[in-house]
Amino acid sequence: MTSSTITETAAGPAGSDFARLSARVAAAGLMRRRPGYYLARFALVGAFAAATATAFVLIGDSPWQLAVAAAAAVLYGQIALLAHDVAHRQVFRTRRPSAVVGRILGNLGIGMSYGWWMDKHTRHHANPNHEGLDPDVEAGALAWTGEQAEASRGINRFLNRHQAVLFFPLLTLAGIDLRRASLQGLLGANGSKVRGRGLELTLLAVHAAGYLTALLAVLPPGLAVAFFVVHQGLFGIYLGSIFAPNHKGMEMPTERMDFLRKQVLTSRNVAGGRLTDGLLHVAMGGLNHQIEHHLFPSMPTPNLRRSRKLVREFCGEVGVDYHETGLVRSWAESLGQLRTASAPLRA
């Protein structure tokens, strides 16, 4: 486990499909940095954070704090998306500023270890949807294959049996579980391999202390608990709504593939109409264009939408299925995989 930054994947052998696609993307200028975009995005998220904190203090002891908690859940999701782009070097070219800003956003901002997440996300990008290689399809409270479901035991076996129905309720715990896993990762045997582990632990402690102090200083105990539950629960649902529609229900390869096919066939784009596409782009941080992001991880977010037509046409030329669907259909396909995987336990 290291805190190395996720960088652009090598173009592959000369003349490969991905090398030819990369040449077209580079010629179109789609890998160029977009500093103005990120300055504006950081400013908007910063203003959102200031407005949320101000509302929290001014509203005080009032049921309206639950609306503030919902806004804070969206804020945490947007901070997580910024940290994601920083990790992929879409914002800064070099590792050091990426690591500094990533820790501020991740550890201090939302209480999740940047170094731990970097290792996890790097392995996901290397082998998306590959059982045994991609940590995002490990067995646990959710099973992604029938074999995983049949091998489950205890409470996980019950959860796996009903996982399609329980998926959204389980997502309410996703934010807390990711924090638990990141802290466990830092404190575990491999935690010493994370650069700046001491700093990361300190920033996590500062976040937790600041968060709990603010709740107890401004709100009475009952309302503080309600704020915590709403905030963390909606944050988990928001995170799941960003990442689950992009890969779940897609192919889970068992054989070797070249880079282009490994990334395209395991990913799904989520499309909207003229009115909703822009909203999807903002809400999902550009990750509704997941195929383009997996092919070109360091491509700045605003260029993902621009590259879609080029990538889709190229996939058509080389006979690679390019899967894009609406938001509702993407969830139906994701939940369909969960139902299929849990079928042996319901038989």
Side-chain angles (χ1 to χ4, degrees), residues 13-243:
S16 69
D17 288 337
F18 182 67
R20 291 190 291 123
L21 175 60
S22 293
R24 295 187 191 183
V25 166
L30 295 171
M31 298 305 298
R32 293 174 187 159
R33 292 287 188 266
R34 297 289 297 273
Y37 166 84
Y38 280 107
L39 280 172
R41 188 167 159 193
F42 269 90
L44 288 171
V45 172
F48 186 16
T52 303
T54 300
F56 174 75
V57 172
L58 293 180
I59 291 175
D61 183 3
S62 167
W64 284 105
Q65 286 287 7
L66 300 185
V68 178
V74 176
L75 172 64
Y76 268 40
Q78 288 295 315
I79 292 173
L81 288 169
L82 270 178
H84 171 271
D85 287 9
V86 167
H88 281 293
R89 292 194 185 175
Q90 297 176 23
V91 184
F92 307 103
R93 291 182 181 276
T94 56
R95 185 193 67 80
R96 184 172 179 78
S98 298
V100 169
V101 175
R103 286 172 181 149
I104 292 172
L105 294 169
N107 296 60
L108 189 60
I110 61 174
M112 187 185 304
S113 167
Y114 177 77
W116 168 85
W117 178 85
M118 283 286 301
D119 173 73
K120 176 178 180 291
H121 198 60
T122 300
R123 288 185 284 131
H124 161 69
H125 265 265
N127 293 285
N129 270 18
H130 287 60
E131 188 177 358
L133 298 174
D134 180 359
D136 289 352
V137 291
E138 289 180 353
L142 298 174
W144 307 106
T145 66
E147 291 75 16
Q148 288 182 348
E150 290 183 314
S152 63
R153 296 292 181 269
I155 185 62
N156 280 347
R157 192 170 182 85
F158 171 80
L159 295 174
N160 291 169
R161 183 181 298 120
H162 307 287
Q163 60 186 8
V165 174
L166 295 175
F167 182 70
F168 284 103
L170 287 172
L171 280 185
T172 62
L173 302 174
I176 293 174
D177 187 61
L178 282 170
R179 293 187 185 89
R180 176 205 59 77
S182 74
L183 181 60
Q184 184 177 334
L186 287 179
L187 295 175
N190 292 325
S192 59
K193 298 179 182 179
V194 176
R195 289 192 182 99
R197 176 173 69 159
L199 174 60
E200 291 221 4
L201 287 169
T202 300
L203 292 174
L204 290 179
V206 170
H207 171 86
Y211 181 85
L212 294 176
T213 299
L215 285 184
L216 296 175
V218 175
L219 306 178
L223 188 55
V225 171
F227 186 102
F228 179 89
V229 170
V230 171
H231 178 206
Q232 301 301 329
L234 291 181
F235 174 49
I237 291 174
Y238 186 25
L239 280 183
S241 299
I242 293 170
F243 293 104

Side-chain angles (χ1 to χ4, degrees), residues 128-131 133 145 147 251-257 266:
N129 270 18
H130 287 60
E131 188 177 358
L133 298 174
T145 66
E147 291 75 16
E251 186 169 340
M252 295 186 67
T254 56
E255 357 178 289
R256 292 177 62 87
M257 294 180 173
T266 59

